[in-house]
Amino acid sequence: MIQRFFSNYFLRHQNRLNQILHMIGVPLTFGGLIGFGLANQWVLAGIAFFAGYALQFLGHFIEQNDAGEVILLKKMLGKPYTEFGPNAQKHMNFDQSSKKSSCND
């Protein structure tokens, strides 16, 4: 399960700028929320949370694929989604049926 998560994660984050935006955005989203929340700085916690997510969504826009939360929402609504960007297609080493997986960002 963990190996599948990381294989999927790396296929969904091929673009270097997307990787950098996630390295900044993920800690900002959750670390900022927790850190500023513990300090009772709720406005800053909210700003950190939304700014971190904005960086991650920007990364997926650059990568040309949907973020994990967007994929989940689209799946629930029965809408088409783009799990892997164009660069991931050439790096895939598994069949199309195994593309379906739970994606968390």
Side-chain angles (χ1 to χ4, degrees):
M1 183 170 145
I2 292 173
Q3 180 181 1
R4 185 175 178 182
F5 170 80
F6 281 111
S7 294
N8 183 291
Y9 185 88
F10 291 125
L11 283 171
R12 296 185 64 246
H13 302 85
Q14 296 277 315
N15 183 284
R16 187 68 180 141
L17 184 54
N18 185 17
Q19 294 168 353
I20 291 168
L21 290 171
H22 274 71
M23 286 191 320
I24 298 167
V26 170
L28 181 61
T29 299
F30 299 105
L33 179 66
I34 293 168
F36 287 124
L38 290 173
N40 212 23
Q41 299 289 321
W42 294 108
V43 172
L44 292 176
I47 291 170
F49 183 82
F50 287 108
Y53 257 108
L55 291 174
Q56 294 174 68
F57 275 84
L58 177 60
H60 282 285
F61 176 78
I62 292 166
E63 186 86 31
Q64 300 177 27
N65 63 0
D66 291 322
E69 296 80 3
V70 173
I71 291 172
L72 178 63
L73 182 62
K74 286 183 174 182
K75 279 183 179 180
M76 289 178 7
L77 296 173
K79 303 290 184 185
Y81 57 88
T82 305
E83 186 166 2
F84 302 105
N87 289 335
Q89 298 298 329
K90 58 187 166 192
H91 297 293
M92 287 185 182
N93 60 358
F94 53 86
D95 66 311
Q96 294 297 322
S97 63
S98 64
K99 275 177 58 172
K100 295 190 179 207
S101 62
S102 60
C103 299
N104 298 320
D105 261 347

